Amino acid sequence: MDERIYREYVAILKEELQPAMGCTEPIAVAYCAALARKTLGALPETVEVLASANIIKNVKSVIVPNTNGQRGIAAAAAAGIISDNADAQLQVLASLTPEQVDAVGIYLRQAAFTVRRAGKDYVFDIQVRVTAGADSASVEIAGYHTNVIHIEKNDIVQFHKDYQESGSQHATDRSLLTVEQIIAFANEMDIADVEETLQRQIDYNWAIAEEGLRGDYGANIGRILLQSYGMSIHNRAKAYAAAGSDARMNGCDLPVVINSGSGNQGMTASLPVVEYAKELNVGYEKMIRAVALSDLVTIHLKSGIGRLSAYCGAVSAGCGCGAGIAYLYGGGLKEIEHTIVNSIAIDSGMVCDGAKASCAAKIASAVDAGILGYHMYKNGQQFRAGDGLVTKGVEETIRNIGILAREGMRETDREILHIMCD
């Protein structure tokens, strides 16, 4: 494949597959709050958090790690401030000591916290304003989880960069992503170019999935799947991805490697593919290639949808893992394209109503759709152009989904937030 496209694909994987501890939206709040404390230079006496609707939705119900089971924006901000570790970014809560964990609850009671809706019309916006005595500081993150766009102290701007909601949020060129080129990349890539990035994803996500199966987290969807439906490879693939989400949504302090800003998507794109690779005994190199393909297909679908939406991100990752599994079975362009289209047609109605325990069940459904999408085509069945959102060609169908999620579901997003909060 073209050398420039190849290098961009390598860079996209490295840009997207980053480690994070805890659900990424509350962690972004914690990071913003930690950076506000660092700017202030003291423990804040007042903390005001302004957040966009999608941030509120995704933080409301999820347990923040290392807070003794607390939920919500104020808890995330308090934990970030107590950590005083802004340099760690999305690992900001990873190094809290037991004493700091206990201090989070005390600080929540002592400081004056205010949480309200941000006035800006950004999908992803977090602003934290803090004061201590006569000093004040504020930090704003917009667009994605670590994109700091403004820092000021005592009304003096220390850092600012312009941000446009419609502009590119990435250093890499996502317009180069196509299913055909993704398959070419998976076939031709030098394993050494991506091995560290992908092996970290596999190691981190496998560890939290096993913890999810061992422990008592949320609704224990992963464990229920294994107890109820047995140890077939199809069921294990769903169960491991769901178990990782069980743990992550419900306070586990193990890190995950995210995809498209989401740990749930990072686990959905990787864990079922790894499970199938072990079952099929395809070897390490084939497994790495399949995981890369799954990750890139997931990123391709999510690029048109956006970071946060009323459209459940697990659907895109389910399509990705279905494509990766098709690749493990020896599928080429035709098999993978039809797997993706079939998967889209099966599960595209699933909405995102925030991060919480039921995400694990949605992941199981998305993985099931990806696997069914492959087996449909393997058995001579497929959804065709004109079947709902499906149109002729995989790229055109992917484009339809992006338009639906990004434009068509804006009112759905507002109504979901209204139902959840009011």
Side-chain angles (χ1 to χ4, degrees):
M1 63 188 300
D2 180 85
E3 179 67 17
R4 183 177 80 88
I5 296 175
Y6 179 89
R7 291 298 163 196
E8 281 291 290
Y9 280 24
V10 170
I12 287 169
L13 288 171
K14 291 181 178 179
E15 182 179 83
E16 287 287 8
L17 304 183
Q18 294 294 322
M21 193 193 74
C23 179
T24 44
E25 278 70 58
I27 295 302
V29 172
Y31 167 49
C32 193
L35 190 53
R37 174 184 177 163
K38 181 179 179 181
T39 305
L40 184 67
L43 184 67
E45 298 163 358
T46 70
V47 181
E48 181 182 25
V49 183
L50 291 79
S52 58
N54 277 275
I55 296 297
I56 294 171
K57 180 178 74 173
N58 272 9
V59 181
K60 177 178 181 290
S61 301
V62 69
I63 293 176
V64 182
N66 284 336
T67 63
N68 288 326
Q70 299 195 70
R71 306 170 190 263
I73 288 176
I81 289 167
I82 292 298
S83 78
D84 196 17
N85 189 23
D87 292 343
Q89 295 191 329
L90 296 185
Q91 296 265 48
V92 63
L93 302 186
S95 60
L96 264 70
T97 66
E99 293 76 19
Q100 287 177 311
V101 171
D102 292 338
V104 171
I106 297 170
Y107 180 62
L108 272 170
R109 294 189 295 271
Q110 290 178 341
F113 280 83
T114 304
V115 177
R116 57 189 178 91
R117 177 92 170 259
K120 296 183 179 180
D121 196 29
Y122 297 163
V123 172
F124 191 116
D125 189 44
I126 303 167
Q127 302 169 47
V128 177
R129 303 169 182 172
V130 294
T131 67
D135 292 323
S136 64
S138 65
V139 174
E140 182 174 10
I141 292 174
Y144 58 94
H145 301 77
T146 56
N147 189 39
V148 178
I149 65 169
H150 189 84
I151 301 173
E152 69 176 57
K153 180 178 181 181
N154 295 333
D155 299 322
I156 298 173
V157 175
Q158 297 188 347
F159 172 82
H160 178 83
K161 66 178 179 179
D162 293 335
Y163 172 76
Q164 289 185 330
E165 186 81 341
S166 59
S168 175
Q169 298 177 2
H170 311 288
T172 49
D173 185 0
R174 305 307 169 81
S175 69
L176 296 174
L177 289 168
T178 67
V179 173
E180 184 174 8
Q181 291 281 11
I182 289 169
I183 296 169
F185 176 82
N187 286 331
E188 298 173 24
M189 70 183 191
D190 184 341
I191 299 296
D193 288 338
V194 298
E195 184 173 24
E196 181 180 358
T197 301
L198 294 177
Q199 189 60 56
R200 180 177 62 184
Q201 180 186 29
I202 293 166
D203 291 344
Y204 282 24
N205 295 354
W206 192 264
I208 198 170
E210 291 195 316
E211 172 61 21
L213 291 172
R214 280 193 302 267
D216 182 13
Y217 294 98
N220 293 304
I221 299 300
R223 190 186 308 160
I224 289 170
L225 284 168
L226 294 180
Q227 290 173 347
S228 302
Y229 301 110
M231 295 298 291
S232 70
I233 178 56
H234 172 214
N235 196 50
R236 294 202 315 273
K238 295 192 296 181
Y240 265 77
S245 182
D246 285 328
R248 181 172 171 271
M249 293 290 95
N250 294 281
C252 178
D253 60 4
L254 289 176
V256 300
V257 168
I258 64 178
N259 180 311
S260 302
S262 164
N264 280 342
Q265 288 159 209
M267 291 184 291
T268 305
S270 58
L271 290 170
V273 179
V274 172
E275 190 68 24
Y276 264 87
K278 292 179 178 180
E279 175 74 12
L280 299 175
N281 197 28
V282 297
Y284 177 77
E285 181 176 314
K286 185 79 169 182
M287 178 185 72
I288 290 291
R289 295 184 187 279
V291 172
L293 186 146
S294 176
D295 279 322
L296 287 169
V297 168
T298 301
I299 295 164
H300 184 25
L301 267 74
K302 282 292 291 181
S303 293
I305 293 168
R307 275 291 200 260
L308 299 176
S309 169
Y311 184 95
C312 178
V315 175
S316 299
C319 293
C321 80
I325 290 165
Y327 183 84
L328 290 172
Y329 274 109
L333 178 61
K334 184 174 289 188
E335 290 83 359
I336 291 169
E337 284 184 335
H338 283 284
T339 295
I340 292 168
V341 171
N342 289 343
S343 304
I344 287 172
I346 293 166
D347 245 10
S348 278
M350 192 151 59
V351 299
C352 173
D353 52 343
K356 68 266 177 254
S358 65
C359 289
K362 293 186 178 188
I363 285 171
S365 175
V367 173
D368 188 70
I371 296 169
L372 176 57
Y374 167 67
H375 284 290
M376 281 178 60
Y377 189 71
K378 185 180 176 183
N379 286 278
Q381 304 298 320
Q382 65 186 79
F383 298 116
R384 301 180 184 276
D387 289 345
L389 298 170
V390 174
T391 191
K392 186 173 179 61
V394 65
E395 299 301 335
E396 289 72 20
T397 300
I398 289 172
R399 192 173 298 113
N400 283 354
I401 295 303
I403 294 169
L404 167 71
R406 190 178 62 253
E407 307 294 338
M409 298 184 77
R410 286 180 177 174
E411 185 58 37
T412 302
D413 214 19
R414 285 191 285 269
E415 192 58 36
I416 289 170
L417 185 72
H418 175 72
I419 291 168
M420 287 177 65
C421 295
D422 298 337

